[in-house]
Amino acid sequence: MIAGHEAGHPRGGGTPRLRMRGTVLPEAVVRDVWVADGTISLDPLPGAVTVHTGGYLIPGLVDVHCHPGTVEVGLPVDDDQLLADGAAHLRAGTTLIRVPGSGSRLPSWFGERPGLPRVVAAGLPVAVEGGFFPGWGRQVGIDDVPRAAAEEAGASGWCKLIVDWFDDDAGYAATMSAEVVAAAARAARGTGGRIAVHTQSAEGGHAAVKARVDSVEHGMHLPTELLGEMAAIGTALVPTATVFTSLAPQMDVDAVPPALRSWFASGLRRHRDLVRSAHEAGVVVLAGTDLPPGSLTTEIRWLAEAGLTAHDALGAGSWAARRWLGYPGIEHGAPADLVVFDEDPRSDLRMLDHPRLVVARGAVVG
Ligand SMILES: [Zn+2]
């Protein structure tokens, strides 16, 4: 039941204290949760408004791979689109996003302002010249890749490296050697930053894992024999499956050169098994939507269809993703970002499209 509809609206200049009671995931413990000053308290707070009792409380959803503010591929980030995308994320319960590279540098207010999710960003994606969308990213000579990776990681905390791309022969291939990928990873880590690698080829995936990067983005054609090593190192896999699924019809027409067509079709065909095998091998699999903007909840459901349990698929877009990005779940002193459902969303993941209540930065999202 819902009470206190006025909650979340500042009264007397402040945000009201909130109280919720429900089953808290992932622990599945029934408890009271209080919120004040943007922070979760597990100790009672006097004067709190009860906004929900019953149901399930889960840590705010996380999209670990999205590109908000994109109006057109190749163009800089559009501020109006950025605001609209951020607000849409929040309404859907996505209180934290990771932006692994953007068309231009994200404005400092994005990720800070109320009404928007928290943001982990990777600056401009680093690629070799011609090795990414025209007009996008930091496309440099091969010798400059490690330095550019270090600069982006140093400035943002993350670097995104594009290690394979469409080639001149109407195919798709690695754009840099494994040695360069390894040097870039070392350079990025040398700044204290982390590195995410875009790869959709076996060679690129191999280079990324051998370079011990923090995440493999997309991972299409990733060799399964690398999965044990990924699990041991802690390299996460972000399969962005719903984007591949949505692209499938336009990649399966005569206008697409045969080599590209079979590269995409065979990659997509094995993607589900790859993700299930990765999960079974102990690789951290996380939910990301990429571009064109997909739906995080659709991606979570795809992960479950691929073979993750509903619990683990939900975690891939919530508590596990938060932990991986260094954000706590529903704990005492944690940022007050959480989503409330009337029933256990793990019993039917379609429920994720209908949160009862979203709390972000300690306030009810209206
Ligand atoms: Zn992307």
Side-chain angles (χ1 to χ4, degrees):
M1 63 157 238
I2 291 273
H5 283 286
E6 75 283 11
H9 298 287
R11 287 180 304 184
T15 303
R17 292 177 166 187
L18 310 177
R19 172 186 166 263
M20 286 151 271
R21 180 176 178 78
T23 304
V24 175
L25 294 184
E27 298 83 6
V29 174
V30 178
R31 63 161 35 124
D32 287 307
V33 173
W34 288 267
V35 171
D37 302 325
T39 304
I40 288 172
S41 172
L42 297 183
D43 297 330
L45 294 176
V49 178
T50 297
V51 290
H52 192 87
T53 54
Y56 281 71
L57 278 52
I58 72 167
L61 299 176
V62 186
D63 188 336
V64 302
H65 188 135
C66 59
H67 304 283
T70 303
V71 173
E72 197 177 319
V73 169
L75 294 184
V77 165
D78 178 274
D79 282 2
D80 290 338
Q81 190 67 45
L82 202 52
L83 279 170
D85 291 343
H89 277 303
L90 213 58
R91 279 196 303 277
T94 304
T95 62
L96 173 65
I97 60 174
R98 185 184 59 144
V99 182
S102 40
S104 55
R105 294 188 191 285
L106 295 171
S108 58
W109 52 260
F110 190 63
E112 303 294 332
R113 200 182 273 185
L116 295 171
R118 296 175 204 273
V119 177
V120 173
L124 302 181
V126 174
V128 294
E129 283 157 5
F132 197 40
F133 293 113
W136 257 11
R138 205 169 152 180
Q139 302 188 22
V140 300
I142 192 83
D143 294 339
D144 290 329
V145 167
R147 185 175 53 81
E151 286 174 3
E152 296 301 328
S156 306
W158 275 90
C159 163
K160 165 82 166 298
L161 186 65
I162 316 290
V163 305
D164 44 28
W165 198 245
F166 301 93
D167 64 20
D168 294 338
D169 299 324
Y172 190 98
T175 55
M176 56 185 77
S177 68
E179 289 71 27
V180 172
V181 178
R186 277 196 305 274
R189 277 196 296 270
T191 68
R194 300 170 82 182
I195 180 165
V197 166
H198 160 115
T199 164
Q200 298 184 66
S201 70
E203 194 183 351
H206 193 269
V209 174
K210 293 298 173 187
R212 307 171 73 89
V213 301
D214 293 281
S215 65
V216 166
E217 309 292 320
H218 315 302
M220 189 178 251
H221 293 291
L222 183 74
T224 46
E225 57 265 30
L226 294 171
L227 296 174
E229 197 172 341
M230 281 177 77
I233 304 165
T235 299
L237 174 63
V238 185
T240 65
T242 48
V243 162
F244 290 141
T245 307
S246 72
L247 287 174
Q250 66 197 77
M251 290 300 290
D252 191 26
V253 294
D254 288 343
V256 176
L260 272 185
R261 211 169 152 180
S262 72
W263 158 77
F264 187 86
S266 60
L268 182 58
R269 211 177 299 125
R270 69 187 285 278
H271 212 47
R272 192 178 292 250
D273 286 345
L274 171 72
V275 168
R276 191 192 62 246
S277 300
H279 179 64
E280 288 171 359
V283 174
V284 173
V285 175
L286 299 172
T289 60
D290 200 29
L291 199 74
S295 154
L296 178 66
T297 56
T298 303
E299 183 74 15
I300 290 171
R301 287 188 285 269
W302 186 92
L303 293 174
E305 286 162 20
L308 274 66
T309 62
H311 179 87
D312 289 334
L314 180 53
S318 174
W319 53 85
R322 293 180 67 88
R323 192 183 313 127
W324 187 69
L325 289 171
Y327 285 78
I330 299 177
E331 298 168 19
H332 188 78
D337 298 338
L338 53 101
V339 191
V340 180
F341 296 91
D342 284 331
E343 291 171 65
D344 187 347
R346 299 170 303 178
S347 68
D348 181 352
L349 291 171
R350 289 174 298 185
M351 212 184 295
L352 294 176
D353 291 336
H354 308 286
R356 168 60 67 188
L357 193 69
V358 176
V359 174
R361 301 174 197 270
V364 173
V365 176

